[in-house]
Amino acid sequence: MAQKPSIPKGTRDFSPVEVSKRNYIMSIMRSHFEKFGYQPIETPTFENSETLMGKYGEEGDRLIFKILNSGDYLEKISEEEFAEKNYKRLTSKISEKALRYDLTVPFARYVVQHQNEIEFPFKRYQIQPVWRADRPQKGRFREFYQCDADVVGSTSLWQEVELVQLYDSVFATLGLNGVTIKINNRKILSGIAEVIGASDKLIDFTVALDKLDKIGEEGVKKEMLEKGIAETALEKVQPLFHFSGSIEEKLDKLSAMLSSSEEGMKGIDELRFICENVMNLGLQKANLDLDVTLARGLNYYTGAIFEVSAPEGVAMGSIGGGGRYDDLTGIFDPKSKLSGVGISFGLDRIYLVLEELNLFPETVSVSTEVLFFNLGESQALEAMKAITVLRKNGVKAEMYPDAAKEDKQFKHAQRRAIPYIVKGIEGKLFSVKHLVTGEAFMVSVEDLIGRLK
C-alpha cells in the first residue's frame, strides 16, 4: 500500500487564497520599499557553508540546514574519523553548502563581492525565503520568507529615522494600527554592563534582561546570578526592572545612570536624535517606545536595535526587527567594514495578525472576476471573444471548459468565490448575475467592463 504523502515539519503548502493574501502583503511592502528609494536584489537559495557558519553564534550554527555533497559524500571520511563521531569535523567534509539562515549575512557577502559595482550608500530590499532547523510552533516555521530593507555605506542616523517611518508606512497601509516599534541601542546595554561592573558578562547580562517580559524580574535575577553576575551588580541594575515613563523621561533616567560611561552616553545621544526626529516628523499609526531590555542580534548589532510588536490583544511574538551593524561586512573583508543599518518584516506573523484581526480586503482572494458558462459550441466562440476583450481591459475572466449542466457550472463558480457569472448570450448582450447579491441584468461587453473595473 502506497504511503500517504506528507511534508516536513515546519513547512507548509499554500492554497490560492493564501498565496493571494501573501502577495498582497508583499506588494505593499515592495511599493513602500521603492517609494523610500530601496532597490531589489536576490541572492542564491544556498551559500557556501563558510559564508554562513560562525556568523550567528553557536546556537545559530546548529540551526543552519546543511546540504550533503553530491555523489559519495562519505568518500573523504576515513574509518577513524567516522568512529570518532566529531560532528563538526565530519560536517565540514560531507557538506560544503548550506541553505541561507537569513538575508543579512548573504547581503553582506553580496556587498563585499560587488563593492566595485555598487553606488554607495546602497539601499536594497530583498524578499526571499530562508530556512532554520528550529522547533516549529505558532508563528515560527522552518521555511519562511524574510522581507528586508537595508542601507549600507552610511553612518548617518537619518537612516534609522527613515526606517522607523518605513515600518510605520507599511503597517499603516496594511491597516495594522497600534503596532509598537521598540528601540534600544547596543551602546546603552554596553554602558549598563560597564557601570554595574559586568562588562565581561555583557552577552549573559543582556540575554537575561531580554527575557524580562517572559520570566519576570525574579527569573531574570536568578539567571544573572547563575551566569556569575554579582549580587551588587543586580542592585545597581534594579531600576531597569521597573523602567517606565515617556521616551524623554527614560532617556533622562538613563543619562543619570550612565553618566560615568562614555559608551553608554553615546548610545543615549544616538537614541535621542532618532526619537526626537521621529516625533517631530510624526507617525501615522505606529507607536514608538524605548525598551531598555531589548537585546536582539548582539552578535552583530552595534548601535540602534529595533523590534516591532503586534497591537495589544494579539498574542504574537515580534513581527519585525533590525538594527545598526557598523562592521558586518568586515566578516568577509577586514578592509571593508562598511556601516549598515536594516530592518526585517516577519511576513508569516504579519499574515497571521491580519487574519486574526480580519484586515485582509475581500478583493484580495478574488482571482477570476467573471465566469462565462459554457453553453455549447454555438455560443462558446462568442463567449471567448467577449472574454478576450475583457482580459485586454484588465478584467480577470474565463469560461468553464466543458459544456456541463448549468447547475455544475454554477456550483463551480460558488466554490471558487467568483462574484459574477454570465449565463447566456442574446445578440450583443450578456445575461449576468452577481452571486453575492443575486442581482441579474443584461449588459454589453463595454458596460460589463465598466461595472467590473
Side-chain angles (χ1 to χ4, degrees):
M1 187 176 177
Q3 188 174 350
K4 188 177 179 181
S6 63
I7 58 175
K9 286 182 179 178
T11 65
R12 297 153 294 166
D13 289 323
F14 296 101
S15 69
V17 169
E18 289 168 327
V19 171
S20 296
K21 289 180 176 179
R22 285 159 62 88
N23 286 343
Y24 164 74
I25 298 171
M26 287 191 281
S27 68
I28 286 175
M29 288 179 184
R30 282 193 184 94
S31 69
H32 285 285
F33 289 158
E34 292 175 7
K35 197 183 296 181
F36 278 67
Y38 292 82
Q39 302 173 79
I41 69 163
E42 290 189 358
T43 58
T45 294
F46 54 91
E47 298 270 355
N48 292 324
S49 295
E50 60 194 30
T51 298
L52 304 179
M53 299 297 288
K55 310 302 189 302
Y56 306 101
E58 194 173 330
E59 184 180 350
D61 281 354
R62 286 199 297 269
L63 299 181
I64 292 173
F65 277 108
K66 286 81 175 177
I67 300 172
L68 289 175
N69 294 337
S70 301
D72 186 0
Y73 55 85
L74 293 175
E75 186 180 8
K76 298 177 183 177
I77 307 296
S78 67
E79 289 185 14
E80 292 77 15
E81 288 174 317
F82 193 79
E84 278 179 26
K85 294 185 179 178
N86 184 323
Y87 87 92
K88 285 186 178 178
R89 193 179 300 165
L90 288 174
T91 300
S92 65
K93 290 195 172 187
I94 66 174
S95 172
E96 296 169 359
K97 297 175 184 64
L99 294 178
R100 60 172 172 249
Y101 175 89
D102 72 355
L103 299 179
T104 305
V105 170
F107 173 53
R109 189 266 309 151
Y110 175 94
V111 169
V112 171
Q113 195 171 339
H114 299 277
Q115 57 189 307
N116 294 328
E117 309 150 31
I118 292 172
E119 173 60 31
F120 294 102
F122 179 46
K123 300 172 78 170
R124 88 80 165 89
Y125 77 85
Q126 197 170 347
I127 301 177
Q128 287 187 279
V130 299
W131 294 266
R132 295 183 186 178
D134 214 341
R135 185 171 64 87
Q137 53 186 287
K138 184 184 178 183
R140 180 176 291 178
F141 308 99
R142 288 176 171 170
E143 178 184 60
F144 57 96
Y145 268 83
Q146 280 194 341
C147 312
D148 288 7
D150 289 77
V151 188
V152 68
S154 171
T155 58
S156 170
L157 293 174
W158 283 110
Q159 306 294 356
E160 278 87 337
V161 172
E162 187 180 73
L163 288 170
V164 173
Q165 288 184 307
L166 178 56
Y167 264 141
D168 178 50
S169 183
V170 168
F171 289 126
T173 303
L174 288 170
L176 196 53
N177 304 334
V179 301
T180 299
I181 303 168
K182 300 175 185 177
I183 186 170
N184 196 14
N185 193 294
R186 165 66 184 260
K187 297 181 182 73
I188 287 176
L189 293 167
S190 298
I192 294 170
E194 182 187 334
V195 298
I196 68 170
S199 291
D200 60 330
K201 300 281 186 181
L202 174 63
I203 300 297
D204 291 332
F205 165 74
T206 50
V207 166
L209 189 62
D210 194 40
K211 297 177 183 176
L212 183 60
D213 60 336
K214 299 182 185 75
I215 61 177
E217 180 181 340
E218 293 308 312
V220 171
K221 287 180 177 177
K222 182 184 176 188
E223 185 168 324
M224 286 183 176
L225 289 170
E226 288 172 352
K227 295 294 184 179
I229 295 170
E231 189 84 50
T232 52
L234 293 187
E235 291 172 10
K236 293 177 182 176
V237 87
Q238 182 67 33
L240 298 182
F241 295 123
H242 307 283
F243 211 63
S244 60
S246 67
I247 291 176
E248 188 60 41
E249 289 168 341
K250 289 179 181 178
L251 287 170
D252 288 342
K253 289 178 187 176
L254 284 171
S255 294
M257 183 180 182
L258 303 180
S259 58
S260 62
S261 170
E262 184 181 345
E263 179 85 345
M265 293 305 293
K266 188 176 179 184
I268 290 170
D269 289 342
E270 290 180 5
L271 273 192
R272 197 181 298 277
F273 179 91
I274 297 164
C275 295
E276 284 183 356
N277 281 293
V278 167
M279 292 297 100
N280 284 334
L281 292 165
L283 293 172
Q284 299 175 63
K285 299 292 183 180
N287 305 306
L288 183 66
D289 188 32
L290 168 54
D291 184 353
V292 76
T293 68
L294 183 58
R296 61 182 290 141
L298 284 182
N299 286 315
Y300 46 82
Y301 291 145
T302 55
I305 307 169
F306 300 105
E307 187 166 281
V308 184
S309 59
E312 267 187 61
V314 179
M316 184 63 65
S318 66
I319 57 174
R324 165 73 64 174
Y325 43 87
D326 279 339
D327 55 3
L328 188 65
T329 52
I331 59 180
F332 297 115
D333 181 3
K335 296 176 184 176
S336 174
K337 294 199 174 181
L338 287 167
S339 181
V341 60
I343 57 172
S344 182
F345 290 80
L347 174 65
D348 294 299
R349 290 187 176 186
I350 292 169
Y351 181 106
L352 292 172
V353 172
L354 294 180
E355 193 89 297
E356 184 173 331
L357 297 176
N358 197 28
L359 291 175
F360 282 108
E362 287 184 22
T363 53
V364 167
S365 57
V366 173
S367 51
T368 295
E369 296 165 273
V370 56
L371 176 73
F372 282 67
F373 280 14
N374 190 323
L375 304 170
E377 286 187 25
S378 61
Q379 292 194 332
L381 180 59
E382 293 306 311
M384 286 304 297
K385 284 179 180 178
I387 288 169
T388 302
V389 173
L390 288 168
R391 287 171 177 168
K392 284 179 179 177
N393 284 273
V395 176
K396 300 169 186 172
E398 63 176 287
M399 181 178 72
Y400 193 81
D402 304 305
K405 290 181 179 179
E406 186 175 302
D407 184 56
K408 183 176 182 180
Q409 298 186 58
F410 181 81
K411 286 179 179 177
H412 177 76
Q414 280 188 317
R415 283 193 290 263
R416 288 186 53 198
I418 297 172
Y420 289 94
I421 57 170
V422 174
K423 298 172 63 180
I425 304 172
E426 296 179 18
K428 292 188 177 182
L429 295 179
F430 298 85
S431 175
V432 182
K433 184 174 183 178
H434 191 284
L435 293 188
V436 178
T437 64
E439 179 190 7
F441 46 90
M442 298 289 290
V443 288
S444 65
V445 172
E446 292 75 18
D447 288 339
L448 183 56
I449 292 169
R451 277 179 175 264
L452 294 175
K453 293 192 73 173

